[in-house]
Amino acid sequence: MSSTPEITSIVIENGTHTTRAGFSTETLPSLEFPTVYSTESTSDPENPKYLFDDDIKPENEVFTIVNEGVVYNWKALEQSWAYIFAKLKVDPKEFPLVITEELWNNKKNRVKLAELAFVKFGVPVFTILKSPIAITYGLGRSTSLVVDIGSSRASVTPILDGTILYKGAAHSKFAGDFLNVHTLKFLENSTNFDYVKGSESYKVFQTNKLLTDFKSTINSVSTYPIVNSNADFQISPKNYQLPDSKTIEVRKEQVLLSEPLFHPLSYPIPGIELPKDSVGLTDLILSALKKLDVTQDIYASLLNNIILTGGTSLLPGLETRLISDLSRFLTTFGVQSFSNPTLSERSNATWIGASVLASMNSFENHYISKEDFEEQGEAIVDEKLK
C-alpha cells in the first residue's frame, strides 16, 4: 500500500521578538525577521503602506505586533502575513496554513486568527499549534519538560505522551528582555551610549538588536550561583566593539549580566521595583514541578527529558548551570537534558517542530477546513484548537 503523499503547508511563527516562516518541507524557515513594523503614507490616509524587516528606515517610527507572546495589533499581523506570502511567492488560497501559539493565548485570539486565515486570505485548511508541543515533537520526544527561554517570557511546560500537563505549566517575564535591561545599564555606565540616529522608537529597535548581539558575543552563565552583584572574582576579560568603533572591556560582568535570570531580586535595577515573590529560572521550574500531581515515575521521566530552547537558552553555560541547580535540589532524581546541539536549530525549535507536525499524516484531524469554518465558525475553532 502506498503512503499518503506529503502535503506542503505554510508554517508561520509570530514570536514576540522574531517572526519565522517557510514551507513545512524545509528544514529551516526561509524567512526570519523582527516582529515589528513601520508605515508610510499613501494617497489613501486610511491605508498606509506597511514596512517590515530591511524596509524600515531610521526616520520611521517602529511599532510592535505581539506582546508577551500574544497578538494585539491585528491589522499589522494581517499585513505581516501578506508580506510573508509575497516573499514566499505563494497564493495563500493554495496552501494549508499552520500557526504557532503560546499556552497563555486565549480563545478569542484563536478565533480571530482563524478569521484572518479563512476570511482575509482564503486559506483552504488551517490549524494552530501549541509551541511546547511543536518543540517536543521536533526533537522526537512525546514526554518532556520544555523550558523555553525567549525574549519576553521564560516558560516551563510538562508534556506527558503528547499531552500538556497544564497544572504544572508556568511562565515568568524574567527572560531575554529582562537581561537586556541589565545589559543596557552596564553599557550606559561604561560608555557614551548614544550612537543610533533616527526616531525614538527606531533607536529602541536598533538598541535591542545591539543588546542581543552583545549578549551572544560576551555573556555566559556561571556554573555556580552568584547571589551578590558585589562578589569579587577573577575572569578573563573580553572586548566588545560598539558601532561607533569604540571598544569596551568586560570582566566579571560577563557572568553577572546573566545572573538576574536566576536571581532577579538580587540584582535590582534603579527605578524598577519587582514583586517580592519574583523567582528566577531554577525556582520557576521547581515550583512548576511542585504543582504537578503525578507519580514518581512520571517526575523521573520529565526530569530525564528536559528540553532547553529559545534564544536566551543559547547563553554559554546556561544548560550546565540549570542541570547543576536542579540536581542539587532534586537529589533523588536523575536530571538530564536533550537540547538540540545545533544552535540555529535550537533557536528555530518551535518553527521546526511545527513543520514536522504539519508533515505528519496522523496530524490531519487537527486541521480545520474553510468549509467547516464557514458552517460552524467559532464552535469548530473551540472544538479542534483548544
Side-chain angles (χ1 to χ4, degrees), residues 40-69:
E40 283 185 350
S41 299
T42 65
S43 57
D44 181 0
E46 298 297 319
N47 290 290
K49 180 181 180 181
Y50 281 72
L51 306 174
F52 299 95
D53 203 12
D54 293 336
D55 293 334
I56 298 175
K57 302 298 187 290
E59 63 271 17
N60 299 138
E61 293 292 346
V62 181
F63 307 98
T64 57
I65 302 174
V66 176
N67 181 38
E68 297 184 353

Side-chain angles (χ1 to χ4, degrees), residues 206-255:
Q206 290 296 334
T207 297
N208 282 330
K209 278 188 175 182
L210 180 136
L211 295 174
T212 299
D213 181 71
F214 181 96
K215 287 187 302 183
S216 65
T217 305
I218 299 295
N219 290 11
S220 59
V221 178
S222 169
T223 54
Y224 56 89
I226 308 174
V227 295
N228 187 341
S229 60
N230 295 319
D232 189 21
F233 56 92
Q234 298 297 317
I235 188 170
S236 298
K238 289 184 180 179
N239 292 323
Y240 184 80
Q241 187 175 46
L242 295 164
D244 60 5
S245 296
K246 291 180 181 176
T247 299
I248 60 172
E249 185 179 80
V250 188
R251 291 185 176 272
K252 65 180 185 179
E253 286 79 9
Q254 294 172 42
V255 293

Side-chain angles (χ1 to χ4, degrees), residues 40-207:
E40 283 185 350
S41 299
T42 65
S43 57
D44 181 0
E46 298 297 319
N47 290 290
K49 180 181 180 181
Y50 281 72
L51 306 174
F52 299 95
D53 203 12
D54 293 336
D55 293 334
I56 298 175
K57 302 298 187 290
E59 63 271 17
N60 299 138
E61 293 292 346
V62 181
F63 307 98
T64 57
I65 302 174
V66 176
N67 181 38
E68 297 184 353
V70 178
V71 176
Y72 74 94
N73 191 324
W74 291 94
K75 182 62 177 177
L77 182 72
E78 176 187 338
Q79 293 297 319
S80 172
W81 286 10
Y83 173 82
I84 288 169
F85 293 132
K87 282 288 186 180
L88 294 177
K89 298 179 180 179
V90 297
D91 181 349
K93 296 182 178 64
E94 297 178 355
F95 289 87
L97 177 62
V98 177
I99 301 298
T100 63
E101 69 170 359
E102 299 294 352
L103 285 193
W104 50 92
N105 195 24
N106 55 61
K107 175 183 174 181
K108 180 180 177 181
N109 273 18
R110 280 190 285 276
V111 172
K112 293 182 78 169
L113 285 166
E115 289 174 347
L116 186 60
F118 289 124
V119 179
K120 291 290 185 179
F121 291 99
V123 304
V125 177
F126 174 72
T127 194
I128 305 173
L129 299 177
K130 297 286 190 293
S131 294
I133 290 289
I135 292 166
T136 295
Y137 276 90
L139 285 173
R141 296 182 176 275
S142 59
T143 293
S144 61
L145 185 68
V146 179
V147 180
D148 188 354
I149 317 168
S151 58
S152 65
R153 291 276 163 168
S155 65
V156 181
T157 310
I159 298 175
L160 179 65
D161 296 329
T163 299
I164 294 172
L165 305 179
Y166 281 94
K167 191 174 183 180
H171 62 271
S172 83
K173 62 183 178 182
F174 302 118
D177 291 345
F178 182 64
L179 295 187
N180 278 1
V181 177
H182 287 273
T183 303
L184 179 59
K185 291 296 182 184
F186 166 72
L187 290 174
E188 287 177 336
N189 291 333
S190 303
T191 183
N192 179 19
F193 197 69
D194 184 24
Y195 62 89
V196 180
K197 305 303 178 186
S199 68
E200 287 303 311
S201 56
Y202 183 82
K203 289 180 182 178
V204 172
F205 171 55
Q206 290 296 334
T207 297

